[in-house]
Amino acid sequence: MPDPRFPLHEEPCVPVQWTTQALITHPELPASLTLPDVLTRSHEIAALAVPDPPAYAALLRILYPLTARVTSLDEAGPGDWARRRLRILDDGALPQPHIEDYFARWGHRFRLFDPEGGRPWMQDPRLAHQCDPARSAGVNKLSMTRSSGNNHAWWTHTRDQAPDPLPATRAWLDMLTWHYYGAAGRGSAREVGGASSSTMKAGPLRTALSYHPEGSTLFETLLAGLVKPEAVVRRETDLCPWEWDELPDPDADPRPVTGPCSRLTAVSQHAVLLLPDPHDSSQVTDAFITWAYRTGRIPRTDPYLIWQVSQQGNIYPRPADASRGLWRDLDALLLAEAGGPAQPRRPPVFTTALEFGDALGMPLAVRALGFDQEGQAKDRQFVTSLTPPVLAHAETDDAGTAPATGRLRSLGEMYGRRLDRAVRRAHSLYSDNKKAKEAASWAERAAAVYWPRAQDEFWARFRELDRSGALLLEAGLDRAAARTAFLRLAEEAYATVTAPISHTPRGAKAVTQARIELYGGHRRPTR
């Protein structure tokens, strides 16, 4: 009989990918672990095995603070923070006694359900009385891979009238995804102080793509992903939601973020309550999803995002785009200030991650995780990518390869833009209709041909850059050869997309005239 409270610190709920060495030593290792065991055995784990990128990103934002707590890296002192982190790295594992002590103290707050009227983890039990039971959200809305209402189905076909229950091992990750990527708009109506409202604000990571330094084990990844706290941060006030003495007042402004732990965990604009099957607590049959705070908004200061400036001067995180390869963001990750009109800034976590990579003696990779979404409600596609070990080539470590990487990326981007203009102009000349929707279809097909091949070309040339520092200015980058290579890919993509019309006189003329866009277009005469 399962524990009706479903304690996350006792139930295997985190899917993991074991290292090769761990599997050789113990071939029958479990596919999932409890939260404490994930920390204890992180040095034997290669990575999390969470299939959905937004859930992966959300779970990392829980594991980072837990790692900081059990290592005492949640405060800047005593002593030098970076040196203390390196001592833990030298130990080869997170301190098991501290992990046991932490969950012995807070284990009662890690119950996914709490039928005794307590505090279910990352949930608000007051919703059971403040929301109308007849207007719950349902498990189809809770799971972002299911269709609900009039939305399209992704991988599963379900009906709101008869939804299939969600396993609790999956529902808790779906709940986390809502806390970080949840939609704005209408949710369950919540009545507080005699006033009812169903209007929700968007989650703090909605539309965003986050970037995480990654080592060869989860142990290295968690240490690399820690952000050094400011000197004024105190663990007694920089609290995670499950460490709060009381639930927040929904009529008041959100609690202020005071440090890295609260910045990662106490930023949800949503209140959620999972409802288990009354006869089987391993299944979730319903949920309430609504607003957490009637007024105010939690500032977006996440340290794993690339921050850039809009044309109106507003700072915003670089959005997730399922059609955009991670290599196109690489110079914004390697350069402290990549330049350009958007003025992108490297994720703050990379400042300390670069130092950690040096001490580790091997470069860190970058895992990108996100959700291509519309700002309000529409969800399009998950986004995930993992680079080779690249962070040894960041600006602070190698002043040659980072700018060369930016130039290489710029060449690939330039010919991608020229290709887009060329196929659109070819369609316009051929159809004599500049607003035809088919032009966008041509551009999409050209992009589908060009960008995957451009990505391969980028990584091939990136690997050839000089790492010794002897060729400081260009790091051995042959700009002329790189320009020719990307142009050739653009020409081949252009030929592929325009081939169906090239056999007619009208089409051949349009294709020939528009091809000049690949080379920069017509030059205006100077006076």
Side-chain angles (χ1 to χ4, degrees):
M1 184 71 179
D3 189 328
R5 300 167 299 181
F6 201 87
L8 297 172
H9 62 301
E10 296 177 1
E11 294 283 350
C13 58
V14 182
V16 297
Q17 174 187 341
W18 297 96
T19 64
T20 302
Q21 183 59 46
L23 289 172
I24 292 174
T25 307
H26 304 287
E28 301 299 325
L29 290 171
S32 296
L33 296 175
T34 67
L35 277 172
D37 284 346
V38 168
L39 299 176
T40 300
R41 307 191 68 175
S42 59
H43 58 289
E44 300 177 275
I45 299 169
L48 301 175
V50 178
D52 300 344
Y56 198 126
L59 181 53
L60 281 175
R61 284 167 171 81
I62 300 300
L63 294 177
Y64 290 139
L66 291 176
T67 301
R69 286 283 192 257
V70 302
T71 57
S72 297
L73 292 171
D74 51 354
E75 291 185 351
D80 182 83
W81 184 87
R83 289 183 181 275
R84 288 159 51 212
R85 180 168 64 166
L86 292 182
R87 284 199 294 269
I88 296 166
L89 176 65
D90 291 340
D91 292 340
L94 296 178
Q96 184 173 354
H98 295 180
I99 297 171
E100 293 173 351
D101 290 345
Y102 184 84
F103 283 95
R105 177 182 181 186
W106 295 108
H108 65 292
R109 294 282 178 82
F110 280 85
R111 300 167 181 167
L112 192 61
F113 315 116
D114 206 332
E116 300 168 1
R119 290 266 296 277
W121 186 77
M122 294 291 281
Q123 299 167 72
D124 194 329
R126 298 171 296 185
L127 302 189
H129 307 289
Q130 294 173 347
C131 295
D132 183 355
R135 297 181 178 275
S136 59
V139 290
N140 286 352
K141 187 168 185 175
L142 174 68
S143 174
M144 293 190 181
T145 61
R146 289 186 177 187
S147 62
S148 63
N150 296 322
N151 296 324
H152 294 293
W154 283 25
W155 296 293
T156 58
H157 294 272
T158 57
R159 294 182 301 142
D160 286 343
Q161 295 79 6
D164 295 330
L166 275 173
T169 52
R170 171 58 195 252
W172 84 283
L173 292 173
D174 288 325
M175 176 187 65
L176 273 184
T177 303
W178 258 100
H179 278 307
Y180 291 96
Y181 295 88
R186 295 183 63 84
S188 301
R190 181 182 189 182
E191 183 176 342
V192 178
S196 179
S197 175
S198 60
T199 302
M200 304 183 296
K201 298 181 178 70
L205 296 184
R206 187 163 184 87
T207 76
L209 185 63
S210 62
Y211 305 83
H212 302 266
E214 181 157 316
S216 60
T217 65
L218 183 62
F219 170 64
E220 296 174 356
T221 298
L222 293 177
L223 288 178
L226 296 185
V227 177
K228 181 180 179 180
E230 296 179 356
V232 297
V233 171
R234 294 293 177 266
R235 64 176 61 94
E236 293 80 10
T237 54
D238 181 30
L239 299 176
C240 301
W242 56 87
E243 298 169 338
W244 292 342
D245 290 335
E246 298 179 352
L247 291 167
D249 182 357
D251 268 335
D253 287 342
R255 300 184 185 205
V257 170
T258 58
C261 291
S262 57
R263 182 179 295 117
L264 293 183
T265 60
V267 291
S268 179
Q269 298 285 166
H270 294 86
V272 183
L273 180 62
L274 304 182
L275 304 179
D277 185 321
H279 306 294
D280 183 1
S281 62
S282 67
Q283 302 285 326
V284 174
T285 56
D286 205 350
F288 292 110
I289 303 173
T290 186
W291 52 273
Y293 303 97
R294 200 188 300 275
T295 61
R297 189 175 185 89
I298 302 169
R300 300 179 78 178
T301 56
D302 192 279
Y304 305 93
L305 310 181
I306 292 177
W307 294 93
Q308 53 194 31
V309 181
S310 70
Q311 293 180 347
Q312 294 74 32
N314 300 317
I315 298 176
Y316 69 101
R318 179 165 290 182
D321 183 348
S323 64
R324 181 182 175 91
L326 178 58
W327 66 272
R328 297 168 68 184
D329 294 334
L330 197 58
D331 58 326
L333 298 174
L334 300 183
L335 297 171
E337 297 183 20
Q343 305 172 46
R345 294 295 183 93
R346 190 166 59 197
V349 68
F350 281 41
T351 300
T352 52
L354 294 173
E355 300 171 0
F356 183 79
D358 286 344
L360 193 60
M362 58 175 291
L364 297 166
V366 178
R367 185 180 293 272
L369 300 162
F371 205 165
D372 188 337
Q373 300 171 296
E374 181 264 337
Q376 292 296 316
K378 185 183 294 184
D379 298 329
R380 299 188 184 96
Q381 188 172 335
F382 294 151
V383 178
T384 183
S385 184
L386 181 65
T387 73
V390 297
L391 291 193
H393 315 300
E395 186 175 43
T396 55
D397 296 323
D398 191 329
T401 56
T405 298
R407 285 189 283 273
L408 188 58
R409 191 272 307 164
S410 295
L411 287 172
E413 292 267 9
M414 180 179 71
Y415 285 105
R417 291 193 300 270
R418 289 183 178 183
L419 172 63
D420 184 84
R421 289 198 300 269
V423 294
R424 289 178 185 273
R425 187 180 178 205
H427 182 275
S428 175
L429 293 171
Y430 177 69
S431 66
D432 199 26
N433 183 352
K434 296 182 179 180
K435 296 183 179 181
K437 291 184 178 180
E438 288 79 4
S441 176
W442 281 31
E444 290 174 0
R445 293 203 300 274
V449 175
Y450 174 79
W451 288 115
R453 300 181 66 189
Q455 174 173 288
D456 293 340
E457 184 68 33
F458 172 88
W459 286 122
R461 294 187 177 276
F462 176 83
R463 285 190 288 269
E464 294 175 356
L465 295 178
D466 177 66
R467 316 299 186 207
S468 67
L471 304 174
L472 187 60
L473 292 179
E474 294 292 334
L477 174 65
D478 187 336
R479 272 201 267 184
R483 186 185 301 273
T484 299
F486 285 117
L487 172 59
R488 174 179 52 81
L489 296 179
E491 289 173 334
E492 292 172 356
Y494 181 77
T496 299
V497 173
T498 59
I501 66 169
S502 296
H503 64 282
T504 67
R506 181 183 178 89
K509 181 179 179 181
V511 171
T512 300
Q513 290 181 351
R515 184 181 285 111
I516 195 173
E517 296 293 343
L518 296 176
Y519 312 100
H522 291 283
R523 306 293 185 188
R524 294 183 179 180
T526 58
R527 296 182 180 179

